[in-house]
């Protein structure tokens, strides 16, 4: 194991814990995979596949709170997430690596802003009455799913905002978005498995370390200051954004 692999394993372990505690684990695995030598598109694909098992376990843990939104059944949200995630993954694969590399700084910047807004902005009140109707909720979930299959940074915050705007209580919205994130990434993973060249050795490092980190994150959930974690994620996002923009020039 090279020292780049050691860095990747440590980052992935931290990412698993981060996802269990506050979300934003891809902010750790994505730059670590870039550091390991992958191009941005390959790093994004590898990160999505490797973090997927941890998303499944997180979603299953809160499945009793899963619900629909704005009059939509959960099955409808499930279907929108599945189709949107697959569409986003296909769009990623038809995007030339060079073009995606130029888009990445803007995608990371967007994801960082979304994460910061969701972490430190005014929290939506899920019991304040629905503001999104059926069509609005369907459109929001489908667009988020496409973005999730394409890049994925910040999808949890986006879904939490959409679900609470549709009248779902915050705790139920959190559990629901965890399951839907797993659904859209499941669709993306299937597309990637059949159409993308996957660095399986790196996937194994990231997946195993992230699952282990996730278990630690669950144990530490009530002992760690979540604000500190969220600040750390935002700082990583800012640093990564600056570095990527500099690298463009």
């Amino acid at each position: 194991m090279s020292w780049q692999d050691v860095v990747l394993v440590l980052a992935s372990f931290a990412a698993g814990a981060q996802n269990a505690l506050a979300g934003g684990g891809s902010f750790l695995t994505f730059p670590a995979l870039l550091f390991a030598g992958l191009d941005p598109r390959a790093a994004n694909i590898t990160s999505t596949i490797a973090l997927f098992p941890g998303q499944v376990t997180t979603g299953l843990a809160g499945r009793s709170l899963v619900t629909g939104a704005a009059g939509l059944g959960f099955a409808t949200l499930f279907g929108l997430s599945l189709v949107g995630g697959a569409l986003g993954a296909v769009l990623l694969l038809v995007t030339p690596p060079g073009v995606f590399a130029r888009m990445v700084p803007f995608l990371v910047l967007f994801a960082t802003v979304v994460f910061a807004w969701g972490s430190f902005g005014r929290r939506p009140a899920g019991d304040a009455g629905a503001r999104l109707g059926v069509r609005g909720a369907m459109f929001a979930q489908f667009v988020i799913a496409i973005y999730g299959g394409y890049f994925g940074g910040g999808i949890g915050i986006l879904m939490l905002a959409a679900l609470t705007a549709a009248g779902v209580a915050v705790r139920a919205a959190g559990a629901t978005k965890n399951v839907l994130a797993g659904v859209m990434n499941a669709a993306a993973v299937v597309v990637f498995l059949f159409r993308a060249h996957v660095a399986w050795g790196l996937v194994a490092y990231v997946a195993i370390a992230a699952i282990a980190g996730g278990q630690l994150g669950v144990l530490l959930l009530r002992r760690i200051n979540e604000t500190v974690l969220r600040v750390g994620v935002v700082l990583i996002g800012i640093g990564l954004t600056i570095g990527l923009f500099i690298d463009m020039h």
Side-chain angles (χ1 to χ4, degrees):
M1 181 181 289
S2 67
W3 65 277
Q4 288 96 336
D5 292 335
V6 172
V7 170
L8 179 60
V9 168
L10 293 175
S12 302
F13 183 85
Q18 178 67 41
N19 276 340
L21 290 163
S26 61
F27 282 100
L28 300 174
T29 54
F30 182 71
L33 287 164
L34 292 177
F35 182 68
L38 297 185
D39 65 71
R41 193 178 74 168
N44 185 44
I45 291 171
T46 303
S47 179
T48 298
I49 295 174
L51 291 178
F52 173 65
Q55 290 176 320
V56 172
T57 57
T58 301
L60 289 174
R63 63 187 181 278
S64 62
L65 294 172
V66 170
T67 183
L72 296 172
F74 177 74
T76 300
L77 296 175
F78 184 103
L80 290 169
S81 300
L82 196 66
V83 175
L87 179 57
V90 171
L91 290 174
L92 174 63
L93 291 177
V94 299
T95 303
V99 174
F100 184 75
R102 291 192 291 274
M103 293 173 61
V104 163
F106 299 97
L107 292 171
V108 174
L109 175 61
F110 172 74
T112 303
V113 171
V114 167
F115 188 88
W117 168 74
S119 297
F120 306 109
R122 184 177 179 179
R123 297 300 177 98
D127 57 356
R131 290 166 286 171
L132 278 180
V134 172
R135 292 182 179 179
M138 290 179 66
F139 177 77
Q141 186 60 32
F142 188 60
V143 171
I144 293 170
I146 294 173
Y147 169 73
Y150 191 83
F151 185 66
I155 55 172
I157 295 299
L158 291 171
M159 278 192 287
L160 188 62
L163 290 168
T164 52
V168 180
V170 174
R171 181 174 296 181
T176 302
K177 62 93 176 171
N178 285 340
V179 174
L180 294 177
V183 170
M184 63 182 66
N185 280 323
V189 166
V190 170
V191 172
F192 294 151
L193 290 179
F194 284 98
R195 298 191 55 185
H197 175 70
V198 180
W200 287 111
L202 295 178
V203 166
Y205 283 146
V206 175
I208 294 172
I211 290 172
Q215 297 306 305
L216 177 63
V218 171
L219 293 175
L220 297 178
L221 188 57
R222 296 182 180 181
R223 297 180 176 88
I224 298 294
N225 188 314
E226 185 174 310
T227 299
V228 173
L229 290 169
R230 292 182 181 275
V231 169
V233 170
V234 172
L235 291 176
I236 289 170
I238 292 172
L240 180 58
T241 300
I242 293 173
L244 289 168
F245 272 114
I246 292 175
D247 191 56
M248 284 180 65
H249 305 284

